Amino acid sequence: MRLLYFVCWILFERSAHCKQLSPVILVPGDGGSRIEARLNKSSHGPYPFCDQRTKDFYVIWVNIASVVHPVPTDCLVENFRLVYNNKTHRTSYPEGVDIRVPGFGGTDSVEWLSDTHLPKLGYYHELAENMVKWGYVRNKTIRGAAYDFRRSPNELEDYYTNLTKLVEETYNMNNNTRVVLLAHSLGNLVILYFLNHQNQEWKDKYIRSFITLGAPWGGSVKALRMIVSGDNVNIITVTALKARPMQRSMTSSAFLMPTNQFWNKSEVLIQTPRRNYTVNDYQQLFKDLNFTDGILIREDVEGLVNPLRPPNVEVHCLYGKGLNTTAKWIYEDGAFPDKQPKHLDEDGDQTVNIRSLEGCLPWKHLQKQPFYSKAFQGIGHVDILNHDINHLGIRGGVDNKGIQRGRIV
Ligand SMILES: *[C@@H]1O[C@H](CO)[C@@H](O)[C@H](O)[C@H]1NC(C)=O
Ligand SMILES: *[C@@H]1O[C@H](CO)[C@@H](O)[C@H](O)[C@H]1NC(C)=O
Ligand SMILES: *[C@@H]1O[C@H](CO)[C@@H](O)[C@H](O)[C@H]1NC(C)=O
Ligand SMILES: *[C@@H]1O[C@H](CO)[C@@H](O)[C@H](O)[C@H]1NC(C)=O
Ligand SMILES: *[C@@H]1O[C@H](CO)[C@@H](O)[C@H](O)[C@H]1NC(C)=O
Ligand SMILES: *[C@@H]1O[C@H](CO)[C@@H](O)[C@H](O)[C@H]1NC(C)=O
Ligand SMILES: *[C@@H]1O[C@H](CO)[C@@H](O)[C@H](O)[C@H]1NC(C)=O
Ligand SMILES: *[C@@H]1O[C@H](CO)[C@@H](O)[C@H](O)[C@H]1NC(C)=O
Ligand SMILES: *[C@@H]1O[C@H](CO)[C@@H](O)[C@H](O)[C@H]1NC(C)=O
């Protein structure tokens, strides 16, 4: 069955009797929220060509110019990185940079990563368009919960407060109808953490189900490259090494590292001539990278959803499989860490390894609430949203090969 029909079927199955659509809140993945910045810096910093001040907020993510031109990429990296404080274990923005996530509650900022609605920068747009055909109404029965995807759940307190209100408001707006949470990729870990910290009474009252698309329940080997060498996510004009400081600074990168619930100490994830690294060697890895804050960041985030605990709401766990997905990064002589590695592949959705996608399966027996799962053969991590390649910019991470357009609808 095609994915969108499947989502449609899930949404309508039990509400057909009650003439009331279950409202849906869309939660994006890594790189999937539009983000705005305002600058008022005391100096230009290392790059004299970057703006020092802006009159107002502007779209920093995704701003197509800053992704395709080398010069603005430097400015993006300089302004869009996080600054980690190793005493408070919290991140802040660089001096003089203010950040906001626009349009919380509305769908626009999760449908489109750019305010100009560039077709290549669509995210949940295709899904939302289809839902409208099924009778859904934007901002009423479809809502969006964008967030700062650079941060991990331990720093999303304000977001979770807003999300709780949004769920309650959406329930009330729709004649006391329980709400479906639909998330993609990293968004699923963000929602799992949220549900793990809500009391059962609240969940029973407000949540109808949790639809998970392509969730990296146990992290992904692919994410390791962002930290070690940087990842240009297949945008030719972006240099991986330039993107690396930004990717390292995002605590969600460390949050997405493979977890010891799904990988063991005999499996090499990063191979170099001098040393191999497994899931047990992250401390050593960060030391060898001279990125010692990484040790603390990983410690901060590694237990947030590990070991996985069931959300105790109805779950529909959907994912793609049957595609080559990095199992191990191999650095040849002199390549570690500043040159791009080769890779060995295993099964997965091109971004997330199959064992991690299937991490939800034990919940069938670990929670009372219904649990359903379905794997879609040959559907990639981003294709599962049915939209185009490369729109996830710096962080999406899809290979050009194997992308087949329009496979879902
Ligand atoms: C910009 O920063 C300067 C000093 O750092 C401050 O005096 C000024 O009020 C700030 N401007 C705005 C618009 O916030
Ligand atoms: C924290 O950061 C400071 C400044 O970068 C450094 O001198 C110190 O060693 C760090 N502490 C830890 C525990 O990493
Ligand atoms: C949805 O709400 C946002 C504000 O949250 C608004 O900007 C947007 O125009 C609304 N969209 C529709 C279709 O009503
Ligand atoms: C939470 O909602 C408030 C009020 O709408 C908004 O100003 C703030 O930016 C939101 N914060 C987050 C993290 O979503
Ligand atoms: C709201 O739900 C009640 C009880 O299920 C139903 O009688 C009523 O018609 C519904 N109202 C709307 C506007 O759908
Ligand atoms: C580690 O994982 C591999 C591959 O899944 C498996 O063959 C091996 O038995 C495991 N080793 C341990 C010690 O659990
Ligand atoms: C790293 O692992 C590979 C294969 O897993 C092995 O052949 C190699 O000897 C290991 N290298 C080191 C330095 O342990
Ligand atoms: C880390 O720092 C040491 C000492 O300054 C240096 O020899 C080494 O090359 C650095 N490693 C990396 C990966 O930058
Ligand atoms: C995966 O990679 C192997 C080796 O490169 C190739 O033979 C195979 O066709 C690929 N599989 C898919 C589904 O792309």
Side-chain angles (χ1 to χ4, degrees), residues 322-324 345:
L323 296 171
N324 284 330
D345 290 338

Side-chain angles (χ1 to χ4, degrees), residues 25-68:
I25 296 178
L26 303 174
V27 181
D30 201 358
S33 298
R34 196 189 307 160
I35 296 190
E36 296 179 341
R38 184 173 56 190
L39 308 179
N40 182 20
K41 301 160 66 149
S42 53
S43 79
H44 283 285
Y47 306 111
F49 42 80
C50 297
D51 284 337
Q52 185 179 348
R53 299 202 167 84
T54 59
K55 241 172 66 198
D56 206 347
F57 281 93
Y58 68 100
V59 175
I60 185 168
W61 186 267
V62 172
N63 182 330
I64 198 70
S66 67
V67 177
V68 298

